[in-house]
Amino acid sequence: MSADRPLLGIMFMIGFCILAPMGDALAKVLGDSIPLGQLLLTRFGVQTAVLIPLAIMTGRTLLMSGRVFRLTVLRSVLHIIGIGAMFSSLRFLPLADAVAIAFVMPFIMLLLGKYVLDEEVGMRRLLACVVGFIGTLFVIQPSFAAVGAPALLPLVVAVVFALFMLVTRQVAKHADPISLQAVSGVVATLILAAMYFIPGADAVEQFQLVMPEGVDVWSMLLAIGLLGTFAHLVMTWSLRFAPSATVAPIQYLEIPVATAVGFAVFGDWPNGLAMLGICITMGAGLYILMRERRMAKLVPPVA
């Protein structure tokens, strides 16, 4: 076990909040020229190419029990769907709007904890979920008016990643983070590669293969994989050096960072209603996190 080093944990989480929107921005840039399937295959292929050698060189085992491996396969499928939905949404939505809508995930996790895992959730946190979801609707409304149903894709991202996090909680107890990410990369890459051998797959526009044109496109494809891989690693490391209650609020920095990146790269800026919704969503989420921290302090330690 690593000793708590809260400042280092916070710095790692800030690193995640910077890396993740940068990777999403590159996916948005390439979304019109590179099919979705190829983006995903590159994303997980790079993860595999980086982490398998790293796991071997550091002496980590890649072997898993049957149950853990089955959960890892499920986790990989959810990861593919979640990232695929996010990359798809970025073809239609500003980066900040897509990220802000996806941040309904903590509310969904809280509801899943109450109604699926039978965890105790108080009325105040349930009301915060309602307020946060209303804020999300403020962000969705102008986007839905502009592009229609694709504005709902970040909600798919939120639901899928809430399930992804629940599965990860079960797997993380029995697997080293780097080994888990390495095996997940292999599983996801094999699943995506196999989809190209399904008869008729080449007739689906988003599962065609195209030759990237120019060094810039190749570089951006490589960067998407590297940014995605290291973003998840620094998030994992942040939780190794600081309690989740310390670093979880920091993750909300991803929304203003995404807003800044979206403005710098695409000239996008949320309108007044969307900005109000972003503030409401962040406020409700931070309230839930503070409430969770307070409730955790009230629970007596188990002898």
Side-chain angles (χ1 to χ4, degrees), residues 45 58 83 165-166 168-169 177 190 204 223 268 276:
T58 54
I83 293 181
M165 292 300 294
L166 290 178
T168 299
R169 285 182 183 178
L190 291 176
V204 179
D268 293 333
L276 175 62

Side-chain angles (χ1 to χ4, degrees), residues 282-294:
M282 291 178 63
L286 290 172
Y287 172 81
I288 288 176
L289 290 170
M290 289 187 292
R291 188 71 182 168
E292 293 283 354
R293 180 185 296 182
R294 182 180 176 186

Side-chain angles (χ1 to χ4, degrees), residues 206-217:
Q206 292 304 318
F207 274 92
Q208 295 175 354
L209 290 173
V210 301
M211 179 60 68
E213 298 181 0
V215 176
D216 289 346
V217 176

Side-chain angles (χ1 to χ4, degrees), residues 118-282:
D118 199 28
E119 296 176 350
E120 185 175 351
V121 177
M123 182 58 65
R124 292 183 182 180
R125 283 179 285 175
L126 288 176
L127 288 175
C129 286
V130 173
V131 172
F133 191 74
I134 291 172
T136 302
L137 292 178
F138 284 175
V139 184
I140 291 175
Q141 191 276 331
S143 299
F144 190 84
V147 303
L152 303 178
L153 282 170
L155 289 180
V156 176
V157 176
V159 173
V160 170
F161 270 106
L163 295 172
F164 172 86
M165 292 300 294
L166 290 178
V167 175
T168 299
R169 285 182 183 178
Q170 299 300 313
V171 178
K173 300 174 184 178
H174 309 284
D176 172 81
I178 291 180
S179 298
L180 174 60
Q181 288 293 92
V183 175
S184 294
V186 172
V187 171
T189 301
L190 291 176
I191 290 173
L192 289 164
M195 294 181 70
Y196 282 93
F197 291 95
I198 297 175
D202 56 350
V204 179
E205 181 182 358
Q206 292 304 318
F207 274 92
Q208 295 175 354
L209 290 173
V210 301
M211 179 60 68
E213 298 181 0
V215 176
D216 289 346
V217 176
W218 282 104
S219 299
M220 284 190 284
L221 281 170
L222 177 62
I224 287 174
L226 291 175
L227 288 168
T229 299
F230 287 109
H232 278 82
L233 282 180
V234 296
M235 174 186 277
T236 301
W237 286 330
S238 75
L239 295 171
R240 290 176 69 86
F241 289 107
S244 59
T246 299
V247 298
I250 306 300
Q251 191 174 352
Y252 276 86
L253 284 176
E254 187 179 348
I255 297 178
V257 170
T259 302
V261 171
F263 181 74
V265 178
F266 308 105
D268 293 333
W269 189 260
N271 65 19
L273 186 61
M275 186 60 75
L276 175 62
I278 287 172
C279 293
I280 291 173
T281 300
M282 291 178 63

Side-chain angles (χ1 to χ4, degrees), residues 63-73 170-171 174-175 180:
L63 298 177
M64 296 177 170
S65 67
R67 176 180 177 276
V68 171
F69 180 71
R70 288 191 294 272
L71 288 173
T72 300
V73 172
Q170 299 300 313
V171 178
H174 309 284
L180 174 60

